[in-house]
Amino acid sequence: MAHLQLNEINAWDAIFKELSHPEKMAKEAVNEAVQILESSTRQAVKASSNSDRLAQSFSRTPAKENDLGVYSVVRPAGDFNDDLTNEDLAAQFEHGRHGGYKRAGKKRAATAMEAKPWRQNAINAARAQCEATVERVVYEAVDKVTGG
């Protein structure tokens, strides 16, 4: 027959309650890791486009939760000029463009542009460091709760 004895059950109860909310730890970890991805994305966009202005338009969202888990997004915001948003320009560098690009009913003279992909370069450059950061933050949170 097995016998289990728990001393100071109130302390264990607090630990179990804290560990029963992993989304809180996950959000903290994602918020810290996304800073690395934001920096990597800005560097990759600048290398691809040679535009510091476009690179600086990229920013991160706070960690959010959905059915798939916790996530954050690094994306461009704002307008590059009267005819083009930073999002459109970033997409053009990623995928290229055909001449005579139309936007909002306006036709502007645009030459064809070869794709200069930046997205996968940003991900590859940040992946290992982001994974290590998430792991470190989660272990620190668990150690803090368990007193380890």
Side-chain angles (χ1 to χ4, degrees):
M1 181 178 346
H3 177 73
L4 174 65
Q5 180 178 348
L6 293 175
N7 296 323
E8 300 180 29
I9 192 69
N10 291 337
W12 282 99
D13 186 48
I15 290 171
F16 290 139
K17 282 182 181 174
E18 189 68 29
L19 290 175
S20 69
H21 299 289
E23 67 278 353
K24 180 180 174 187
M25 284 185 266
K27 283 183 179 178
E28 290 174 15
V30 168
N31 278 330
E32 193 163 326
V34 76
Q35 296 174 28
I36 297 163
L37 181 60
E38 180 184 37
S39 175
S40 175
T41 300
R42 286 180 174 175
Q43 291 172 2
V45 168
K46 184 166 172 56
S48 173
S49 68
N50 201 25
S51 171
D52 191 46
R53 184 171 153 204
L54 175 61
Q56 292 305 316
S57 75
F58 280 78
S59 61
R60 63 186 182 268
T61 64
K64 299 175 187 174
E65 188 177 359
N66 67 11
D67 294 342
L68 300 175
V70 177
Y71 69 96
S72 181
V73 178
V74 176
R75 63 178 176 225
D79 290 333
F80 191 78
N81 58 33
D82 291 339
D83 294 328
L84 191 63
T85 66
N86 285 320
E87 186 175 325
D88 290 338
L89 185 57
Q92 287 178 22
F93 278 105
E94 179 69 16
H95 304 290
R97 79 169 170 233
H98 299 289
Y101 180 79
K102 289 184 179 181
R103 181 174 185 276
K106 296 180 182 178
K107 184 171 182 171
R108 65 178 178 83
T111 57
M113 182 174 76
E114 292 292 319
K116 298 176 185 174
W118 52 266
R119 187 182 318 252
Q120 196 60 49
N121 294 341
I123 292 168
N124 291 343
R127 182 183 306 272
Q129 195 175 357
C130 285
E131 288 172 352
T133 298
V134 167
E135 187 174 309
R136 179 185 52 77
V137 170
V138 169
Y139 283 143
E140 286 175 358
V142 169
D143 286 347
K144 183 178 174 185
V145 170
T146 60

